[in-house]
């Protein structure tokens, strides 16, 4: 069974403002940057005080998403955001390390004995990121001429102050990846065998670039290290899933972005993924956000890209079963602004996937807009919900009640670990504070959706990452999510992309 909430765990009542949710960890405005004075009260013994035997060579995709979300929720400027990514890369290669120099811990290697918080707080990447950014904002305000690296040094007070500016190129690359990833994690199908049950997949990235799959039995995921492809999805690429040839089995796709902007697909055979082939040679360049969906309703998944920036366009390339056709097919000319979370789903049940955006502001600005697909374009955007997925929450899209229309779900992924849902009526999302689960997805974990038992209703899943690497599932009853149970005890390591 998934661990129960800790004794006396706080439960969220209603939808408090993001500022209130962060109040416990924000510093007074007048506090100087750098570690605060050591607290007078003693702390629990550190989680880990030994030097790390090594720092992972690659970043953890879940961590860069969290750091970006926290920075965005605090409305930090571009320089301060870059400072956070420079500091995170230098200190931990953007991993939530349970070890470090002396008492240093976490993404930013903060120290409990220098007043950064308890070891448990520092190991919460939301808390740690908030602590960094609050100090960085204050430093930047007082020193507007500082570079991002100097802002990072102002907060970290490292003995090697030039390291942060030296990591600028890497930090910018990670920031671009985080911004792309935020819009691709609304949910994509993962039924690789075609048996009607969604499976799980992990992309290792790095020098190996392996792809492992664990298939669903309806009550668990089978297999620990079943490799389905041995070279797919390099570091910095966006890896997603979808049925691109319409054979009923979901395949894998990777977007290289950058200056090449290629799109490669590896088709599922039911027991593995075939060799990758190029399906498009210019799509979703630079920091655009790639997505997958069946936008024309022909049974084959297509690809879309949200340009954001100054244009906010949406382009689509349709699948013909062996390639994605079209480069400059604009389907919408203003959707998904910077800082918003775009997603895809068939929200009106007509068989064509639509586009959705979560504005993710505080209570007064956490709107949800939808633009319905006509089969050859997306119509005008309309507000379908005016209070959903506030601030740092992680929204997802899926049909949780089995009525053929995709709904929206948001995970708080904090000490409350609540899950809220709003179901589609075909013209709007109904429900604001309807809690479907009261303890699922804590800080640093990665939630997702899928129909894992094949009953036609999407369930919730969480990859714990960290030291346990467990996978927990809570099945949908149509009106709530049932108790969480462990379906796999070792899948999706830190640094891997899990879906």
């Amino acid at each position: 069974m998934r661990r129960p909430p800790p004794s006396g765990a706080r439960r969220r009542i209603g939808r408090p403002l993001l500022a209130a949710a962060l109040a416990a960890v924000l510093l007074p405005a007048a506090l100087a940057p750098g570690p605060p004075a050591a607290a007078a009260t003693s702390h629990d013994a550190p989680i880990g005080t030994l030097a790390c035997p090594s720092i992972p060579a690659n970043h953890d995709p879940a961590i860069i998403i969290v750091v970006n979300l926290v920075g965005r929720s605090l409305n930090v400027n571009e320089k301060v955001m870059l400072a956070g990514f420079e500091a995170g890369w230098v200190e931990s290669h953007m991993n939530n390390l349970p070890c470090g120099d002396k008492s240093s811990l976490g993404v930013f290697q903060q120290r409990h004995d220098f007043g950064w918080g308890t070891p448990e707080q520092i190991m919460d990447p939301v808390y740690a990121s908030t602590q960094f950014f609050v100090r960085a904002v204050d430093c930047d305000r007082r020193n507007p001429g500082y570079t991002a690296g100097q802002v990072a040094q102002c907060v970290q007070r490292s003995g090697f102050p030039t390291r942060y500016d030296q990591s600028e190129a890497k930090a910018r690359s990670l920031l671009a990846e985080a911004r792309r990833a935020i819009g691709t994690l609304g949910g994509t199908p993962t039924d690789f065998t075609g048996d009607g049950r969604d499976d799980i997949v992990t992309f290792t990235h790095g020098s190996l670039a392996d792809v492992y799959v664990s298939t669903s039995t309806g009550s668990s995921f089978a297999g620990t290290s079943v490799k389905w492809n041995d070279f797919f999805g390099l570091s910095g690429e966006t890896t997603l899933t979808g049925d691109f040839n319409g054979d009923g089995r979901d395949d894998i796709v990777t977007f290289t972005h950058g200056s090449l902007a290629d799109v490669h697909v590896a088709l599922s055979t039911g027991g593995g993924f075939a060799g990758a082939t190029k399906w498009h040679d210019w799509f979703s360049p630079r920091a655009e956000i790639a997505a997958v969906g069946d936008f024309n309703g022909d049974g084959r998944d297509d690809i879309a890209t949200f340009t954001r920036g100054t244009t906010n366009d949406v382009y689509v390339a349709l699948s013909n079963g062996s390639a994605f056709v079209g480069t400059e097919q604009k389907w919408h000319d203003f959707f998904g602004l910077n800082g918003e979370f775009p997603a895809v789903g068939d929200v009106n049940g007509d068989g064509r996937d639509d586009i959705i955006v979560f504005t993710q502001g505080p209570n007064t600005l956490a709107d949800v807009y939808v633009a319905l697909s006509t089969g050859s374009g997306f119509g005008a955007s309309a507000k379908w919900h005016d209070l959903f997925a506030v601030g740092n929450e992680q929204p997802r899209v899926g049909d949780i009640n089995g009525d053929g229309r995709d709904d929206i779900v948001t995970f708080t992924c904090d000490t409350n670990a609540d899950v809220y849902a709003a179901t589609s009526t075909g013209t709007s999302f109904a429900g604001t504070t309807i809690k479907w689960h009261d303890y699922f997805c804590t800080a640093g974990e990665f939630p997702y959706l899928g129909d894992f038992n094949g009953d036609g209703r999407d369930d919730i899943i969480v990859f714990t990452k960290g030291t346990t690497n467990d996978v927990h599932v809570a099945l949908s009853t149509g009106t709530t999510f049932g108790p969480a149970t462990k379906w796999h005890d070792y899948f999706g390591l830190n640094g891997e992309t899990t879906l």
Side-chain angles (χ1 to χ4, degrees):
M1 296 290 290
R2 180 155 171 76
R3 61 191 182 284
S7 177
R10 182 168 53 89
R11 292 281 182 240
R12 184 171 66 173
I13 301 175
R15 310 286 278 182
L17 289 172
L18 177 63
L22 294 174
V25 294
L26 292 179
L27 297 175
L31 190 61
T41 58
S42 62
H43 293 293
D44 295 333
I47 292 174
T49 57
L50 298 177
C52 296
S54 63
I55 296 178
N58 299 312
H59 66 281
D60 184 342
I63 292 299
I64 64 172
I65 290 171
V66 169
V67 174
N68 184 42
L69 281 172
V70 171
R72 192 185 69 186
S73 72
L74 296 173
N75 199 31
V76 304
N77 63 33
E78 188 71 9
K79 180 170 66 176
V80 170
M81 181 72 84
L82 180 60
F85 274 72
E86 289 181 355
W89 175 254
V90 167
E91 302 295 348
S92 68
H93 281 188
M94 279 293 191
N95 288 273
N96 199 27
L97 300 178
C99 52
D101 179 53
K102 298 183 175 67
S103 59
S104 299
L105 293 169
V107 180
F108 298 99
Q109 291 290 279
Q110 295 157 340
R111 296 180 61 179
H112 75 95
D113 49 350
F114 275 71
W116 283 95
T118 67
E120 290 75 17
Q121 287 175 320
I122 293 170
M123 286 300 294
D124 176 348
V126 173
Y127 174 93
S129 300
T130 301
Q131 292 292 317
F132 177 90
F133 281 126
V134 169
R135 291 168 174 79
V137 166
D138 182 64
C139 177
D140 181 54
R141 177 182 57 79
R142 294 183 299 104
N143 303 280
Y146 272 16
T147 65
Q150 288 172 321
V151 171
Q153 169 62 12
C154 181
V155 176
Q156 298 295 101
R157 297 185 177 180
S158 169
F160 304 92
T162 62
R163 296 182 302 170
Y164 304 112
D165 272 327
Q166 291 170 355
S167 70
E168 178 180 351
K170 180 64 177 180
R172 287 190 181 279
S173 173
L174 293 176
L175 179 55
E177 181 181 339
R179 286 170 171 167
R180 290 194 302 266
I182 281 179
T184 63
L185 301 178
T188 54
T190 55
D191 180 9
F192 304 118
T193 60
D195 64 357
R197 296 187 296 255
D198 279 326
D199 312 303
I200 53 176
V201 60
T202 189
F203 300 86
T204 66
H205 301 296
S207 59
L208 295 178
D210 292 325
V211 184
Y212 292 91
V213 166
S214 183
T215 56
S216 173
T217 66
S219 57
S220 67
F221 296 116
T224 299
S225 55
V226 182
K227 187 187 295 186
W228 277 44
N229 192 291
D230 62 2
F231 196 76
F232 193 90
L234 304 181
S235 295
E237 298 182 358
T238 297
T239 46
L240 294 173
T241 60
D243 182 7
F244 303 113
N245 62 350
D247 66 354
R249 296 187 296 253
D250 286 316
D251 316 301
I252 52 176
V253 61
T254 188
F255 300 82
T256 66
H257 300 293
S259 58
L260 293 178
D262 292 327
V263 183
H264 297 270
V265 168
L267 298 174
S268 173
T269 65
F273 296 119
T277 58
K278 187 187 294 186
W279 278 43
H280 205 294
D281 61 3
W282 181 254
F283 198 85
S284 196
R286 296 175 292 278
E288 294 183 7
I289 293 178
V292 168
D294 182 6
F295 302 114
N296 62 352
D298 66 354
R300 296 187 295 254
D301 278 325
D302 315 302
I303 54 175
T305 187
F306 298 83
T307 65
R308 307 217 290 185
T310 58
T311 59
N312 302 299
D313 295 325
V314 183
Y315 290 89
V316 168
L318 300 174
S319 171
N320 64 13
S322 58
F324 297 119
V325 181
T327 300
E328 297 296 331
Q329 295 183 8
K330 186 188 294 187
W331 279 43
H332 204 291
D333 62 2
F334 195 79
F335 196 88
L337 282 62
N338 283 338
E340 297 180 346
F341 185 117
V344 168
D346 180 9
V347 296
N348 63 348
D350 66 355
R352 296 187 296 255
D353 280 323
D354 314 300
I355 51 175
I356 307 145
V357 70
F358 301 84
T359 64
Q360 290 225 271
N363 275 15
T364 55
L365 297 173
D367 298 323
V368 184
Y369 289 88
V370 168
L372 299 174
S373 173
T374 66
S376 58
F378 298 117
S381 63
K383 186 188 292 186
W384 277 43
H385 204 293
D386 61 2
L387 181 58
F388 199 85
V390 178
N392 289 327
E393 295 179 2
Q394 298 195 42
R396 302 289 186 264
V397 176
D399 182 7
I400 58 175
N401 60 359
D403 66 356
R405 297 187 296 254
D406 280 331
D407 313 301
I408 53 176
V409 176
T410 187
F411 299 81
T412 65
C413 292
D414 56 10
T415 55
N416 296 309
D418 292 327
V419 183
Y420 293 88
T423 55
S424 173
T425 66
T427 56
S428 66
F429 296 118
T432 297
T433 56
I434 301 178
K435 188 186 294 185
W436 276 49
H437 205 290
D438 65 359
Y439 199 77
F440 196 89
C441 186
T442 58
E445 299 180 345
F446 179 76
Y448 213 59
L449 297 182
D451 181 8
F452 302 112
N453 63 349
D455 66 354
R457 297 187 295 253
D458 279 332
D459 315 301
I460 53 175
I461 186 172
V462 68
F463 300 87
T464 64
K465 303 282 190 171
T467 57
T468 59
N469 302 298
D470 293 328
V471 183
H472 297 270
V473 170
L475 299 175
S476 173
T477 67
T479 57
T480 188
F481 297 117
T485 58
K486 187 187 294 186
W487 278 41
H488 204 293
D489 62 2
Y490 195 76
F491 195 89
L493 309 184
N494 288 340
E496 299 179 356
T497 296
T498 47
L499 303 173

